[in-house]
Amino acid sequence: MGEDERLLRRYQALLDAVPQSVWVMSPDGLVTVLTGGGVAEKLWQPNGSTSWMDAVHPKDRGWFERAWRRANRQSSPLDVIVRVRLDGIPGRFRFIKIVAAPVVDHDGEVEWVGTATDAEEHWRTRMREKLLARMASVPAAHDLSEAFLTTAAAVVPELADAVAVFRIPDGAETGVHPAGGVTPTASPERVGIAPGLPPLPALDADFLLGPVARQVIDSQQARLLVFSAKGVPADGLSDASARWLKAARATGVALIPVVVDGRTVALASIATCRGNPPPDAADLSLLQDIFQQMSGPLRRTMELQSIRSKALALQQSFLAAPPSVEGLTIAALYHPADSAAKVGGDWYDAIQLSGGSLAVSIGDIAGHDLDAATAMGRVNSILRGLAYDSGPAASPAVTLRRLDRIVQALDSPSIITAVHAVLHRQTDGGWHIALSNAGHPPPLLIPRDAPSRYVHNLTPPDPPLCVADTLLRTTQHADLREGDTLMLYTDGLVETPDTDIDDNLRRLREHIDALVRQDLPLPALIRSLLPSVQHPRDDIAVIALQARLDSDSAGEDIPVPTDSTFTTQNKPYLTERGTA
């Protein structure tokens, strides 16, 4: 045996010992496997009418072809991980690491020599790490919709073409609506869809998931549906789902229950579409890992939402409809901040006193939790009792001072800002206003024929409640003529981060003046004051009183947001006790 032959056999033995295949591509594109064994034996072999590019996964062909052309153009090495079709198993692919380098012969022609190594486990490990890293932001989600959206964005388009998450209400496993809202219409907040796919259809109010989905919910076991070449079957799926899957040319669907503390709180439907290979058992396992990561964050989000719902119910139970008062139109608004982590201590109140007078108050207790909402109820009740017991002759300053002493003596005091006012009817049809301000944003007096102004007599308000044991408080006075409006509000209307409060107060006054020129009804006017942003950072409470002739006192119905509470004199304007 010659030396060259021995070297060749040693090289052959070395290649046979490593778990990879060595191949060569001739200048005319013919690929030849130099060594047997390795992953190359499992791969699909193109015939004369197909090319090696047909063996590449449809989702990888675009970038892989660009990488291959660039390597050819620059005569540079190629080092990639790409999915390649398996032999004899239609629709099944495996991740292969390809390393290749160009070799130039004496005639200047280039052939490629490379290796093919199985990279399935390596890719799945890296992909799991990548997707779980994307899931790191889920614990910071303010609500369930945001948590589901973050998860869907992590999966599309890496593992699937479409993800829809359906929230399962308590006790309603067989009739479920898309996650995160009352409306059944699917929206981008609750789904992730790859570009080019048809939008999800609007779902009817009585939409039901199909039998297979309900089985997954009840059993809490994931299910993989792989569709044949005949297309999407009608059995087992809802009509709406089957129609969309057919339009998207779906090849398979993974149904994964999201379980928190033993209860299925959501169902994730993950589809591969447009002829892409369906998910396999390994994909299903990875998807289960991804959605399992939601369990802890969802539990915290659901706990926050539960606390917020209870606090809002408690808070709004104190926001009774303002009384019917002859000669006044009264409109009140409560608009909760859209945050699962925050509940406020805002309140407003109006009660009739003897002699036709009216006591009005508005306030805000420091804190954003259930304790703040509970304390708000106690403080509001004490102030209401003091105002009624003291009667219309009592000074608002004295009433707030008595409230301050009682709260500090009987309660765990928090910083409280409040405005308490008493309105006395005048013989000319107007009203005299006496009010005391404890650290609260100044009330706004809106004349019918002049620019609006704040009721503060150009002096700062008195300090908030619960900051000193004994403190003299002041009473300010103003007159409310026919057609004039007095508006009291909480700081959520004028305070935003990184802004100057004086500038915000000026902008509010200018906005009010512009609205008054439109001659809006009082409920519509205060509704127009809500921030334009979709998610206010703080709760907003407003109560406004407008002096009117008796024939003009009743409010008129106009549409309002369903997460606000409006009431007017004589009848509820809108009563919605919903949460944001």
Side-chain angles (χ1 to χ4, degrees):
M1 181 183 300
E3 185 64 24
D4 290 344
E5 187 177 354
R6 279 197 298 270
L7 289 174
L8 181 60
R9 287 189 176 183
R10 290 172 182 171
Y11 179 63
Q12 185 69 42
L14 175 63
L15 294 180
D16 290 340
V18 297
Q20 65 181 11
S21 302
V22 179
W23 53 270
V24 61
M25 184 191 302
S26 64
D28 58 2
L30 179 64
V31 176
T32 304
V33 177
L34 296 181
T35 61
V39 71
E41 290 185 344
K42 305 176 183 178
L43 302 183
W44 173 78
Q45 304 290 327
N47 55 36
S49 61
T50 58
S51 70
W52 274 101
M53 196 59 66
D54 294 320
V56 176
H57 192 287
K59 286 190 175 183
D60 292 348
R61 286 175 190 166
W63 69 262
F64 180 72
E65 188 170 8
R66 290 191 296 272
W68 177 247
R69 289 177 178 175
R70 183 169 57 251
N72 266 287
R73 186 173 60 253
Q74 299 174 355
S75 294
S76 58
L78 179 71
D79 187 346
V80 296
I81 293 180
V82 63
R83 283 171 285 187
V84 179
R85 190 184 306 177
L86 294 177
D87 188 29
I89 312 178
R92 291 292 303 277
F93 292 78
R94 196 165 185 85
F95 284 91
I96 306 299
K97 181 176 177 62
I98 295 177
V99 179
V103 178
V104 182
D105 62 14
H106 295 294
D107 298 327
E109 292 189 339
V110 178
E111 67 176 6
W112 287 81
V113 177
T115 61
T117 310
D118 192 351
E120 185 76 11
E121 291 304 318
H122 172 77
W123 180 88
R124 292 195 178 277
T125 299
R126 293 290 302 274
M127 180 56 66
R128 178 178 280 102
E129 294 172 350
K130 179 180 178 180
L131 295 182
L132 294 181
R134 291 182 182 176
M135 296 285 290
S137 60
V138 171
H142 292 158
D143 54 39
L144 296 181
S145 287
E146 185 177 344
F148 292 141
L149 174 62
T150 301
T151 306
V155 173
V156 176
E158 301 284 2
L159 292 180
D161 298 300
V163 175
V165 182
F166 298 85
R167 184 178 175 185
I168 314 300
D170 290 333
E173 278 76 7
T174 58
V176 297
H177 301 303
V182 176
T183 172
T185 303
S187 77
E189 289 185 356
R190 296 181 286 277
V191 296
I193 300 181
L197 289 178
L200 291 185
L203 302 180
D204 297 331
D206 57 351
F207 167 72
L208 300 177
L209 290 174
V212 175
R214 296 201 296 271
Q215 291 172 10
V216 171
I217 293 170
D218 294 337
S219 67
Q220 298 184 348
Q221 298 293 320
R223 183 84 173 268
L224 185 61
L225 305 178
V226 177
F227 305 139
S228 68
K230 297 180 180 179
V232 179
D235 296 339
L237 300 172
S238 68
D239 292 340
S241 298
R243 286 194 300 269
W244 186 87
L245 291 170
K246 289 177 181 178
R249 294 191 296 120
T251 56
V253 172
L255 298 173
I256 298 177
V258 181
V259 181
V260 176
D261 294 335
R263 185 176 76 84
T264 305
V265 300
L267 176 72
S269 177
I270 303 107
T272 50
C273 306
R274 293 180 295 193
N276 287 318
D280 56 22
D283 294 328
L284 183 63
S285 176
L286 179 54
L287 288 168
Q288 286 180 284
D289 287 347
I290 297 301
F291 282 91
Q292 182 61 33
Q293 292 297 313
M294 297 180 68
S295 177
L298 283 183
R299 181 185 298 108
R300 290 189 289 273
T301 301
M302 292 168 66
E303 289 172 351
L304 287 173
Q305 284 194 330
S306 176
I307 292 172
R308 175 169 172 77
S309 296
K310 293 175 182 177
L312 284 173
L314 176 64
Q315 185 176 23
Q316 294 184 15
S317 69
F318 293 102
L319 303 178
S324 174
V325 179
E326 182 181 353
L328 280 178
T329 296
I330 307 175
L333 173 153
Y334 175 72
H335 191 69
D338 188 8
S339 170
K342 289 185 177 182
V343 291
D346 294 16
W347 87 86
Y348 61 78
D349 196 14
I351 58 171
Q352 282 189 287
L353 305 178
S354 60
S357 297
L358 181 73
V360 181
S361 63
I362 196 163
D364 184 8
I365 294 181
H368 292 285
D369 53 23
L370 190 56
D371 290 340
T374 304
M376 176 273 290
R378 293 195 298 267
V379 171
N380 182 30
S381 297
I382 295 172
L383 178 55
R384 187 182 182 90
L386 287 173
Y388 187 83
D389 182 66
S390 301
S395 163
V398 173
T399 302
L400 281 186
R401 188 178 179 188
R402 293 177 64 193
L403 174 67
D404 198 1
R405 289 201 307 269
I406 294 173
V407 171
Q408 292 194 58
L410 301 182
D411 211 339
S412 299
S414 299
I415 299 298
I416 304 170
T417 69
V419 171
H420 179 62
V422 177
L423 280 71
H424 302 274
R425 190 187 305 274
Q426 302 295 93
T427 56
D428 61 358
W431 297 77
H432 178 75
I433 305 167
L435 66 84
S436 185
N437 188 341
H440 202 77
L444 188 61
L445 184 62
I446 311 167
R448 62 177 180 179
D449 54 4
S452 57
R453 64 180 178 85
Y454 289 105
V455 182
H456 52 44
N457 294 340
L458 301 180
T459 60
D462 295 334
L465 306 181
C466 301
V467 298
D469 294 335
T470 58
L471 182 67
L472 292 177
R473 298 189 174 275
T474 58
T475 295
Q476 301 170 16
H477 299 271
D479 289 315
L480 194 69
R481 301 174 301 162
E482 180 188 339
D484 294 352
T485 301
L486 177 69
M487 188 179 78
L488 291 74
Y489 53 93
T490 55
D491 57 6
L493 191 63
V494 292
E495 289 188 0
T496 54
D498 303 321
T499 61
D500 183 80
I501 183 62
D502 291 334
D503 291 339
N504 293 344
L505 288 170
R506 174 182 51 79
R507 281 192 286 267
L508 173 63
R509 181 170 50 80
E510 293 172 350
H511 187 194
I512 284 284
D513 290 341
L515 293 174
V516 168
R517 289 193 291 270
Q518 300 178 27
D519 197 26
L520 296 175
L522 186 59
L525 185 144
I526 65 172
R527 182 196 64 188
S528 300
L529 300 178
L530 293 179
S532 58
V533 295
Q534 185 177 3
H535 304 300
R537 295 175 178 269
D538 201 358
D539 293 357
I540 297 172
V542 179
I543 184 167
L545 307 97
Q546 190 173 72
R548 292 288 191 188
L549 295 176
D550 292 347
S551 60
D552 297 330
S553 294
E556 58 182 279
D557 293 332
I558 49 177
V560 294
T562 57
D563 56 357
S564 302
T565 299
F566 283 81
T567 52
T568 63
Q569 187 261 1
N570 287 336
K571 61 179 179 178
Y573 178 68
L574 179 70
T575 301
E576 288 283 350
R577 301 303 187 188
T579 59

